[in-house]
Amino acid sequence: MAISAGDIHARIPQYEDLNLYMKRSGYDVYNNLCRQGDFEAVQQKLLDAGIRGLGGAGFPTGRKWAFVRAEPGPRYLAVNGDEGEPGTFKDRFYLERYPHVFLEGMLIAAWAVEAERCFIYMRDEYPAVLEILRREIAALEAAGLVVPGYIELRRGAGAYICGEESAMIESIEGKRGLPRHRPPFVAQVGLFGRPTLVNNVETLYWVARVLREGPEILSGVEKNGRKGLRSYSVSGRVAQPGVYLLPAGSTIRDIIAVAGGMAEGHVFKAYQPGGPSSGLLPATLDDVPLDFDTLQPHGSFIGSAAVVVLSQQDSARAAALNMLRFFEDESCGQCTPCRTGCEKAVKLMQAPRWDRDLLEDLCQTMADASICGLGQAAPNPIRLVMRHFPDEV
């Protein structure tokens, strides 16, 4: 089949540009804050709404802003748009539709910490998003909402490790993306040695919406004792993969249901609640809310809410091996526990029967001694498959 020229270039979807956004009071909140803003009032609204980092860490956004604001200037803001966790595409969803909701949230965050400059580190595998941001940043400059050069768009180089905030900062500075030893934290010593606020794309999207519509749009939603909303990137053996906005107390059964149920011929067997780093949970754990702090007792976490559903046609053992091969390939190689540990784990997992004791020793070493979250979380698929699918290993 012939492929037309249009099939090998980014297709720009229909999205809300600056003109459309301004028609519905876009940037009114930001402009009002610039004139007579009260940081404490803004911070309290974010805390009341329960906004937390939506890139994986889940730290309360208002508190993070206060930490950076308390550091001596000059300060910077860096947006983590790398979104490299397999199965995650929620940031792309929002950016390809409502880029100015995110951009206004970013400018509000920059106002809050009095940032001298904003850097958007965007995944290079998102060419349509990059083009949309180029156009709309230029439109902001032309409209006089920001001075030229205040917002700098940086293309990521395709390294998973650059989703880690300090490795991202190293990459923005033009160096190899390697995680930094901490302390000091990037809120104290970040970009070019200055205090830096790092926020996720979706976090800033909700900042703009909460400050426009009120904290109740998040805090007013409650299910299974959990307040708020979560954007779940859903893929795997479901009928309708996509991004779904659901109450934070939703379970995997709720998520499968909204995604049209299981794909034809497939029976629910297991799921990743937050991408490979979160490991693999069995279908029997179908009543756990997929939210912050609810999955840790089960050896997992929500991360970026990248839900991947497996069926009876999938092997949990093969899925775990695939995850470790990914980590082996994406390890930056800086620290021995991660570099050597991932390689060793892949070899051990290819054996006809897993050496459980040796794998557990390896997992413990990686979790305890790795510099960053890649090596610390890489053992999760191994441990959870040994716990929940022992007959396969």
Side-chain angles (χ1 to χ4, degrees), residues 6 29-30 39 53-54 66 71 121 190 196 200 202 205 229 238 240 258 287 296 311-312 316 324 328 338 367 373 375:
V29 172
Y30 171 64
F39 172 74
L54 296 170
E71 295 292 326
Y121 189 83
T196 302
N200 169 257
E202 193 198 354
Y205 169 90
L229 294 167
V238 293
Q240 299 167 10
V258 78
D287 58 349
Q296 279 83 343
S311 77
Q312 88 286 2
L324 264 295
E328 178 189 26
C338 178

Side-chain angles (χ1 to χ4, degrees), residues 17-28 31 143 145:
D17 64 11
L18 180 59
N19 289 332
L20 289 173
Y21 189 62
M22 296 287 278
K23 286 179 181 177
R24 62 181 190 94
S25 304
Y27 293 99
D28 282 3
N31 287 328
L145 284 162

Side-chain angles (χ1 to χ4, degrees), residues 26-338:
Y27 293 99
D28 282 3
V29 172
Y30 171 64
N31 287 328
N32 290 335
L33 289 174
C34 288
R35 284 193 292 267
Q36 52 185 10
D38 180 347
F39 172 74
E40 284 72 23
V42 169
Q43 181 189 34
Q44 192 57 51
K45 281 189 178 180
L46 301 188
L47 294 173
D48 291 345
I51 296 181
R52 297 172 65 169
L54 296 170
F59 195 83
T61 301
R63 287 172 57 195
K64 179 185 271 193
W65 288 10
F67 290 152
V68 177
R69 185 182 174 93
E71 295 292 326
R75 308 176 196 91
Y76 295 109
L77 181 148
V79 178
N80 193 335
D82 195 56
E83 198 164 48
E85 190 75 18
T88 313
F89 42 91
K90 61 181 181 61
D91 292 350
R92 175 184 175 181
F93 176 87
Y94 289 115
L95 288 170
E96 287 187 345
R97 289 159 178 80
Y98 315 107
H100 283 284
V101 182
F102 151 68
L103 286 168
E104 184 172 14
M106 181 192 72
L107 291 176
I108 291 169
W111 163 85
V113 300
E114 299 174 343
E116 294 206 351
R117 202 169 180 190
C118 301
F119 295 83
I120 303 175
Y121 189 83
M122 185 52 55
R123 182 171 172 79
D124 199 41
E125 290 86 345
Y126 289 173
V129 170
L130 285 162
E131 180 57 29
I132 289 169
L133 289 176
R134 288 188 194 101
R135 293 178 183 180
E136 299 312 310
I137 291 170
L140 287 176
E141 294 174 348
L145 284 162
V146 297
V147 298
Y150 181 69
I151 304 172
E152 185 166 335
L153 182 61
R154 293 291 186 93
R155 294 165 53 190
Y160 171 73
I161 195 63
C162 288
E164 195 276 336
E165 61 179 8
S166 65
M168 175 192 70
I169 284 173
E170 290 283 297
S171 182
I172 292 174
E173 291 179 349
K175 295 178 281 187
R176 183 181 173 194
L178 298 177
R180 295 177 179 177
H181 292 268
R182 290 172 285 188
F185 297 93
V186 299
Q188 303 164 305
V189 181
L191 268 169
F192 309 112
R194 303 310 308 164
T196 302
L197 172 65
V198 177
N199 276 146
N200 169 257
V201 167
E202 193 198 354
T203 303
L204 297 174
Y205 169 90
W206 286 110
V207 164
R209 288 199 55 185
V210 161
L211 294 181
R212 175 188 290 183
E213 303 169 45
E216 299 77 17
I217 63 168
L218 294 180
S219 62
V221 179
E222 185 170 354
K223 181 173 184 177
N224 292 331
R226 311 295 299 182
K227 290 185 177 182
L229 294 167
R230 295 285 172 265
S231 301
Y232 298 99
S233 305
V234 186
S235 60
R237 307 296 193 176
V238 293
Q240 299 167 10
V243 175
Y244 295 95
L245 186 64
L246 295 172
S250 299
T251 66
I252 187 63
R253 288 288 181 187
D254 298 322
I255 292 168
I256 291 173
V258 78
M262 295 295 294
E264 186 176 354
H266 292 271
V267 178
F268 179 39
K269 173 181 177 178
Y271 65 104
Q272 296 174 21
S277 298
S278 67
L280 203 60
L281 296 176
T284 52
L285 290 177
D286 62 355
D287 58 349
V288 181
L290 300 193
D291 193 19
F292 298 118
D293 311 319
T294 58
L295 292 162
Q296 279 83 343
H298 303 285
S300 185
F301 53 86
I302 187 61
S304 58
V307 179
V308 182
V309 179
L310 277 65
S311 77
Q312 88 286 2
Q313 296 187 27
D314 300 305
S315 162
R317 169 198 176 107
L321 176 58
N322 186 54
M323 296 177 215
L324 264 295
R325 282 178 169 148
F326 171 78
F327 292 135
E328 178 189 26
D329 188 59
E330 293 294 340
S331 173
C332 72
Q334 180 181 189
C335 70
T336 302
C338 178

